[in-house]
Amino acid sequence: MDLVRIEHELQKRLAFPYRWGRRQSNNFDQATQFIYQTYSFEFLLREIERRFGHLDTYESYQDYALNRWFNFWSAQAVEQIFCSLSGVKPAHNPRNRLVDFSFEGISFDHKTTIFPKSFPQNLASAQDNPRELIQWLYDNQSQEKRMHLKNRLFIVLHANDGEHWKLKADIGWLQTIIEQYVGAFSLTQLHTFHFAHDSPTLSDVIWALR
C-alpha cells in the first residue's frame, strides 16, 4: 500500500459530513461490502451512486459507505505502519480478526478511535489514568465483528477543534506517533486486565493529540 496515496484519498473524504445516522447493522454492512475493494475515493462515490442513487434512503447508504470506507482504509494504513517497523511482525494469518501484528513476543489487534464524548472523565484525567479509559473502551466499543477482549492497542484521537475523526486521514502524522511509541516501547507500560471467562488481556493507549 502506498501510504502517501492513501492519505491523499482519505483527505478527499474530509469535504463530506461525517455522520452515521444509524447504528451498525448487518443489512447495511452487507450492502456496503464493496468498500473493501474500493481504493479510489472517486470510484467510491460512483459506486455509491450506482448502487443506491435510486433509493429514498440514498443519503443513509452514502453516509454509511463513506464512513466504513474511511475507517477501513485508515486502519489498513495504520496496520501497515506498525508492520513496517523493526521488531514488529505481521500476523501470520491475515484473516485472523484478533491479531494484526506482534512485537516483544505479544500479539495485538489495533483500533483507532476518537476520544469518546461519553467517557465520564476529561482528556487530562484520561491521560493521567489511561487504565480507566481502556476499561471503558473495552466495555463500550461498538459490537462489530472486531469486538473482542484480546490484546489491543488503542490509538486515541483528540483534536482541539472537536473534529477528532479527521485525524484518521493524517497518515504521515500518525506514522510519526506510532514510530515514536514502538521505538520507546516497554513491556512495563502495558495494562493487564482480567475479563470474565478469558485469559489476561494486555492493552495500552497511544495518544494522538492535536
Side-chain angles (χ1 to χ4, degrees):
M1 181 188 297
D2 183 338
L3 293 179
V4 173
R5 182 186 170 193
I6 194 58
E7 178 170 354
H8 180 65
E9 295 298 321
L10 290 170
Q11 292 285 336
K12 297 175 185 177
R13 166 71 182 87
L14 304 186
F16 292 75
Y18 188 85
R19 58 196 176 206
W20 282 98
R22 62 175 54 248
R23 291 183 178 274
Q24 187 166 4
S25 73
N26 290 334
N27 288 341
F28 271 68
D29 280 356
Q30 189 62 37
T32 56
Q33 290 292 88
F34 62 90
I35 63 102
Y36 296 123
Q37 291 79 43
T38 307
Y39 193 73
S40 160
F41 187 71
E42 283 77 12
F43 184 83
L44 175 70
L45 293 178
R46 291 197 297 269
E47 191 66 8
I48 292 171
E49 178 65 28
R50 185 182 74 81
R51 291 173 181 253
F52 311 121
H54 63 289
L55 300 177
D56 292 339
T57 52
Y58 167 73
E59 191 171 275
S60 293
Y61 277 106
Q62 175 180 252
D63 290 342
Y64 203 91
L66 289 177
N67 293 346
R68 289 192 79 203
W69 176 88
F70 184 74
N71 291 336
F72 172 74
W73 286 105
S74 178
Q76 290 296 107
V78 167
E79 182 176 338
Q80 179 167 311
I81 291 167
F82 273 106
C83 293
S84 71
L85 299 178
S86 176
V88 179
K89 298 180 180 179
H92 293 299
N93 180 5
R95 295 183 180 275
N96 184 351
R97 67 183 182 85
L98 303 182
V99 178
D100 290 330
F101 48 80
S102 63
F103 63 100
E104 297 290 343
I106 303 171
S107 297
F108 291 99
D109 176 36
H110 84 279
K111 183 175 181 63
T112 306
T113 184
I114 65 172
F115 183 75
K117 63 182 179 181
S118 299
F119 184 64
Q121 307 297 331
N122 61 25
L123 177 64
S125 296
Q127 288 179 277
D128 288 339
N129 185 15
R131 183 180 179 84
E132 184 177 349
L133 175 61
I134 293 169
Q135 178 73 60
W136 190 97
L137 291 170
Y138 272 110
D139 290 342
N140 292 277
Q141 288 285 357
S142 59
Q143 302 297 312
E144 79 276 21
K145 293 178 182 178
R146 289 178 69 87
M147 174 62 181
H148 60 75
L149 299 176
K150 300 296 185 181
N151 301 338
R152 176 173 271 179
L153 295 177
F154 292 96
I155 303 172
V156 177
L157 309 174
H158 184 279
N160 287 334
D161 62 4
E163 298 282 358
H164 314 307
W165 69 276
K166 291 184 177 181
L167 300 179
K168 291 184 181 182
D170 201 336
I171 301 302
W173 175 69
L174 290 173
Q175 182 172 8
T176 298
I177 291 171
I178 293 166
E179 288 173 347
Q180 291 173 347
Y181 177 85
V182 172
F185 179 78
S186 169
L187 291 174
T188 60
Q189 70 195 68
L190 293 174
H191 301 269
T192 303
F193 298 84
H194 296 275
F195 298 113
H197 310 299
D198 219 327
S199 57
T201 297
L202 300 176
S203 185
D204 198 15
V205 172
I206 302 173
W207 296 102
L209 312 176
R210 174 174 283 173

